[in-house]
Amino acid sequence: MEPILFILFGAIAVAGSIMVVTRKHPMASALYLILTLFAVAALFVLRQAHFLAAIQVIVYAGAVVVLFIFVIMLINVPENKLPVERLTALRFLGVAAAGLLILEGAVLARKTTMPGGTAADSGSVQAVGRALFTDYLLAFEITSVLLLAAVIGAIALAKKKI
Amino acid sequence: MPLGNLASVSRFLPELAVTATILLLVAVHVVGKNRQSSASALLSLAGVGAALLLTALQPSMPAVSLFEGMVALDGFAVFFKALTALATIVVIFMSMDSAELSGKSQAEYYVFLLSVLLGMFLLSSATDLVMLYLSLELVSIPSYLLAGYLKGRKSSNEASMKYVVYGATASGVMIYGFSLLYGLTGTTQIAEIGRALATGKAALPLFLAAVMVAVGFGYKIAAVPFHMWSPDVYEGAPTPVTAFLSVGPKAAGFAVLVRFFYTVFASPDGAGGPWTLSSPVDWTLLFAVLSAATMTVGNLVAVNQKNVKRLLAYSSIAHAGYMLMGFVLLTPAGIQAILFYLVVYLFMNLGAFYVVILVANGTRSEDISDYAGLGSRAPFAAVSLAIFLFALTGIPPFSGFIGKVYLFAEVINRGVYWLAVVAALNSVVSLYYYARIVKVMFLEEPAEKAELAVPAFPRALLCLLAVPTLLLGVYWEPVIRVAANSVRLLAF
């Protein structure tokens, strides 16, 4: 059962992200992004990372993309005035780079055996919470300083004059 | 055995001092009425000064691992903390004197500056991939904001934008490398990664992962071919920020580069010699080529520059190339040479930028042609700049020469002669463009004859930067001893 679900959600995620970068209208891209994020959340569930899956849906699919959509609607660029991309050479390079990355992943997967997976409950809320407040406490606290600097930075950039 | 979270706090005082100052700055700015005052600057000076003092008092022997293995407190970390704190103090003074930032250098500016400092503290001591990535972002994100701090100036916006795009790409590649390393070893502790990889398996994936990680670090130290952002960012950013970026984050980048590769790739007991792991390529050759390319590109492009800031940007790329010479063989002697060079580089590079700020305050220009006749218009500044530029070139009585001697000795002792030859040729090229500025200052007639006033306080600070630049050229023994003692990295 699990491999089938993995292939299904993996395919949805890949197809969704291809749609995100190929759609002309930003709104369509944003909606496909939600689809992709949901599919990735399902992949997390398959890997027993329930907490991460919930956070993925609440924060990314819920809050971040909604903000994107708000901004797109506020700016409200008419369909005929959307910027036209002319950098086709860059696009081909991007596709080539992606192909190289996939090839690399395949080679790595064939050549090496990764160490065994983590314990079955390592993705539960309890396990994540414990790791966050013991082993990774410093990282957790430093993130708050980073976010503080980012918030102040956003205000400083948005204000009319400093 | 790493210390627990609570037990670590008492050994984390410099970082706590910086964090407390950041919070105080925000609080004072929100409550305070007089927003244009220099209160923020003085407060940050006090905070960074306290952090520097606490760092100096920190016992670094024996090395310990703090916060469940997140960061290390060893001689290496203490060295870089002191170095970056010192650079930040000088940059705060520079920011107070800069006309570009006058009226704009408020609490936000210092919050960003101190956040970068906190990031550099952590970056030089991180021993866990999670912490390493996080501290790299803590250095990068406020740096983007600092580069774009002058919102009204187009080049400043462009600098910030380019910095963000290049930075995000590099850190994305780097974290992909981290994920491969984690996949290969099943741990995020760099010491354990080194031990797991010492079995010698998985050479190709390891090579790919290490190259990706090196991209992230190479971007921070602006090594070729990850240097493209730096000239535009250095030119567009406010000059004090440029000075800061060219010294602080670059030093922290070297710290993390050395710590990561030394812990992962050199033998765990630190005695087994360099690059112990088998790999499909010759690491020494790879980094030697990187070093040669970095110094050559930096120096050759610097020759044609007309803007002083841009010239110094390319020269700082070249200096990263020189410093990489100490890294190619991954030996304690080479790392000692890098540490010593970073100290010298701090004084001479910050000094050069400080003169650029003082001249720009008077002339509103950073073009080399506007430096004509500076020798008669502002003799003090001109002589200081000449000292810093000759030190950057590496001419004998100045400290840059001693720094280069140690770097050259490292590659020559280990038989990488061609790199020494390339570096020597590069020094000759650099003499041309540094000396050109000196020539313009002292031999060309100025368009305007009026004297450029340099107030007393900047003069004193210039002296404080120029004296070590000269002194370390004749009496460098204490500093090299400190550097030698600082090559003691935490090993589990």
Side-chain angles (χ1 to χ4, degrees):
Chain A
M1 192 59 194
E2 209 183 297
I4 300 170
L5 285 175
F6 176 80
I7 290 170
L8 180 69
F9 286 115
I12 293 177
V14 171
S17 41
I18 290 176
M19 295 302 262
V20 171
V21 290
T22 50
R23 290 308 87 191
K24 201 174 160 213
H25 201 284
M27 187 60 103
S29 293
L31 292 175
Y32 276 111
L33 188 59
I34 297 186
L35 179 72
T36 309
L37 293 172
F38 265 104
V40 173
L43 291 179
F44 285 148
V45 173
L46 287 178
R47 295 305 300 153
Q48 312 296 329
H50 301 292
F51 179 70
L52 206 56
I55 290 296
Q56 169 91 0
V57 171
I58 296 170
V59 176
Y60 285 94
V64 174
V65 181
V66 168
L67 270 182
F68 282 175
I69 291 175
F70 262 121
V71 172
I72 294 168
M73 282 161 66
L74 277 176
I75 297 174
N76 193 22
V77 181
E79 188 115 25
N80 54 0
K81 289 209 174 133
L82 286 172
V84 186
E85 278 182 73
R86 292 211 177 76
L87 301 164
T88 38
L90 280 185
R91 269 191 204 176
F92 281 115
L93 279 178
V95 172
L100 214 61
L101 203 64
I102 292 170
L103 195 72
E104 187 204 318
V107 169
L108 289 190
R110 279 184 68 87
K111 279 217 151 187
T112 51
T113 44
M114 302 279 174
T118 41
D121 69 332
S122 65
S124 70
V125 178
Q126 199 183 14
V128 171
R130 185 166 294 144
L132 216 51
F133 286 95
T134 54
D135 289 357
Y136 295 97
L137 181 69
L138 180 66
F140 183 67
E141 296 294 343
I142 292 303
T143 312
S144 63
V145 180
L146 178 61
L147 290 178
L148 177 72
V151 167
I152 294 173
I155 295 170
L157 284 182
K159 270 202 300 188
K160 280 227 168 60
K161 74 182 232 255
I162 32 176
Chain B
M1 193 61 203
L3 286 179
N5 285 324
L6 272 179
S8 305
V9 172
S10 64
R11 304 191 187 217
F12 204 56
L13 295 176
E15 286 84 353
L16 290 179
V18 176
T19 316
T21 316
I22 293 174
L23 295 178
L24 260 177
L25 277 170
V26 176
V28 168
H29 183 64
V30 171
V31 177
K33 289 198 180 77
N34 187 3
R35 304 210 153 176
Q36 299 294 337
S37 76
S38 54
S40 315
L42 295 175
L43 185 61
S44 358
L45 268 182
V48 182
L52 182 59
L53 199 67
L54 290 167
T55 307
L57 296 174
Q58 245 176 354
S60 62
M61 291 294 295
V64 280
S65 179
L66 305 181
F67 293 101
E68 312 284 358
M70 284 284 130
V71 292
L73 177 58
D74 50 15
F76 190 73
V78 168
F79 179 88
F80 275 96
K81 281 188 218 172
L83 189 79
T84 49
L86 189 63
T88 309
I89 288 177
V90 177
V91 169
I92 292 173
F93 279 122
M94 289 162 98
S95 310
M96 290 163 82
D97 287 331
S98 162
E100 272 178 310
L101 287 171
S102 77
K104 298 193 187 75
S105 53
Q106 283 185 356
E108 294 99 333
Y109 177 81
Y110 293 103
V111 167
F112 301 150
L113 210 58
L114 265 62
S115 306
V116 178
L117 178 65
L118 182 65
M120 295 191 296
F121 276 16
L122 293 165
L123 194 57
S124 52
S125 49
T127 53
D128 187 288
L129 292 184
V130 174
M131 202 61 226
L132 216 155
Y133 177 72
L134 202 57
S135 42
L136 197 82
E137 289 298 308
L138 190 56
V139 172
S140 298
I141 289 175
S143 302
Y144 305 152
L145 293 161
L146 284 172
Y149 197 73
L150 297 177
K151 284 195 289 183
R153 198 163 80 185
K154 207 175 158 205
S155 62
S156 187
N157 297 344
E158 186 191 331
S160 188
M161 191 67 205
K162 281 195 173 149
Y163 207 6
V164 170
V165 173
Y166 276 108
T169 312
S171 96
V173 173
M174 186 184 71
I175 201 157
Y176 187 59
F178 282 176
S179 73
L180 287 180
L181 278 179
Y182 178 70
L184 289 169
T185 58
T187 173
T188 53
Q189 293 279 316
I190 55 173
E192 278 179 37
I193 291 175
R195 228 172 292 135
L197 294 175
T199 51
K201 286 181 203 149
L204 179 67
L206 175 62
F207 172 67
L208 287 172
V211 166
M212 285 178 174
V213 173
V215 169
F217 300 159
Y219 151 82
K220 265 276 151 270
I221 61 170
V224 171
F226 319 113
H227 67 291
M228 267 90 94
W229 57 275
S230 88
D232 291 322
V233 171
Y234 285 9
E235 189 186 355
T239 315
V241 173
T242 308
F244 183 61
L245 294 180
S246 73
V247 175
K250 195 176 281 241
F254 268 102
V256 71
L257 181 78
V258 168
R259 186 187 287 282
F260 180 84
F261 280 94
Y262 204 73
T263 317
V264 173
F265 289 93
S267 59
D269 54 6
W275 303 116
T276 48
L277 295 177
S278 59
S279 107
V281 294
D282 183 351
W283 281 102
T284 302
L285 184 66
L286 182 76
F287 276 103
V289 169
L290 214 62
S291 161
T294 305
M295 59 179 101
T296 310
V297 169
N299 279 323
L300 288 184
V301 185
V303 167
N304 281 326
Q305 299 307 317
K306 293 186 173 57
N307 178 301
V308 178
K309 269 165 89 179
R310 218 174 157 80
L311 184 140
L312 287 173
Y314 281 108
S315 110
S316 105
I317 294 174
H319 283 275
Y322 296 140
M323 284 186 265
L324 274 176
M325 284 204 301
F327 179 74
V328 291
L329 289 145
L330 213 61
T331 57
I335 292 166
Q336 180 193 349
I338 295 179
L339 297 186
F340 181 74
Y341 201 83
L342 278 169
V343 175
V344 172
Y345 177 71
L346 178 140
F347 289 113
M348 56 194 187
N349 212 41
L350 286 182
F353 274 113
Y354 195 41
V355 177
V356 173
I357 292 175
L358 294 175
V359 172
N361 283 351
T363 62
R364 304 270 153 198
S365 160
E366 283 143 5
D367 288 338
I368 294 175
S369 52
D370 287 317
Y371 280 62
L374 203 68
S376 56
R377 292 180 69 194
F380 192 84
V383 171
S384 316
L385 184 57
I387 291 174
F388 297 130
L389 291 177
F390 282 130
L392 283 166
T393 322
I395 289 178
F398 301 98
S399 55
F401 173 70
I402 308 298
K404 270 193 187 158
V405 165
Y406 277 100
L407 289 169
F408 274 76
E410 164 69 5
V411 285
I412 290 171
N413 285 342
R414 303 278 166 166
V416 194
Y417 299 113
W418 67 268
L419 187 56
V421 172
V422 171
L425 290 176
N426 266 293
S427 299
V428 176
V429 174
S430 74
L431 175 63
Y432 168 74
Y433 62 82
Y434 290 130
R436 188 168 53 119
I437 301 181
V438 178
K439 185 198 113 198
V440 170
M441 284 196 303
F442 289 99
L443 299 180
E444 285 184 13
E445 283 298 310
E448 196 183 338
K449 290 250 185 336
E451 196 185 327
L452 258 179
V454 178
F457 184 74
R459 269 175 200 244
L461 189 56
L462 265 184
C463 276
L464 284 182
L465 290 168
V467 166
T469 308
L470 288 169
L471 195 64
L472 288 176
V474 287
Y475 183 61
W476 62 90
E477 210 262 329
V479 179
I480 200 80
R481 209 176 328 126
V482 170
N485 284 332
S486 306
V487 192
R488 295 201 188 114
L489 276 85
L490 178 76
F492 290 92

